[in-house]
Amino acid sequence: MTPPPSAPTGTFGPMERDLRALAVGIVPEIARLDDAGWRAVATVVEEALASRPAPLRRKLLLFVRVLGWISVARYAARPASLDAVRLGRLLASVERSRLLLLRRGFWGLRTLVFMGYWTRPESAAAIGYRARPEGWEARR
């Protein structure tokens, strides 16, 4: 499934289309988000990265770029152009790679995508999650 195109913005710049496609491979529900919904996910990811050291941000950007290169080498297409089956195979191969560095990169990317998607109020409401930062006081 190819996500709809959106204008590249933010930390990922021209790689944002690939990031969005990879995010859909990690959380398929992201494919149903419109551009505003995707922007909310990307904003959470970008805000989380903004507080991290610059070398870590560069590593994540490099990892997304490497996934794009692997995709081109295997399927002659960028992640944003892959169908759901090939995208799933790409991500599964990285997740189970013999190279620890690739597995770590995938875990980091997956964690950021999960955080970006599941911290949206709409996602929390969809699964009935009602925890609040105020704790039990918010329920009274």
Side-chain angles (χ1 to χ4, degrees):
M1 178 178 310
T2 303
S6 62
T9 58
T11 304
F12 294 93
M15 291 185 298
E16 188 162 320
R17 287 193 68 217
D18 283 344
L19 174 66
R20 187 171 181 172
L22 295 167
V24 168
I26 294 168
V27 179
E29 289 83 358
I30 290 177
R32 287 187 244 139
L33 298 178
D34 58 11
D35 281 346
W38 165 249
R39 188 85 304 268
V41 171
T43 298
V44 169
V45 171
E46 289 167 359
E47 287 175 357
L49 288 175
S51 64
R52 302 290 193 262
L56 184 96
R57 291 193 304 266
R58 284 195 301 269
K59 287 178 187 174
L60 182 68
L61 292 172
L62 178 61
F63 181 70
V64 172
R65 190 171 301 216
V66 166
L67 290 179
W69 295 335
I70 293 171
S71 175
V72 169
R74 284 192 183 161
Y75 304 111
R78 305 285 313 167
S81 301
L82 295 179
D83 59 41
V85 173
R86 291 189 298 170
L87 183 60
R89 286 182 186 152
L90 171 70
L91 292 174
S93 71
V94 173
E95 183 179 23
R96 297 182 189 125
S97 172
R98 287 184 285 168
L99 299 175
L100 178 60
L101 201 55
L102 285 180
R103 292 194 313 266
R104 282 184 178 160
F106 179 78
W107 296 332
L109 179 63
R110 182 181 61 186
T111 300
L112 286 169
V113 170
F114 282 169
M115 181 176 60
Y117 182 74
W118 290 111
T119 57
R120 296 172 47 250
E122 299 86 1
S123 300
I127 61 170
Y129 186 71
R130 297 184 302 169
R132 309 266 316 244
E134 300 88 20
W136 290 107
E137 294 300 319
R139 296 192 68 174
R140 294 186 184 145

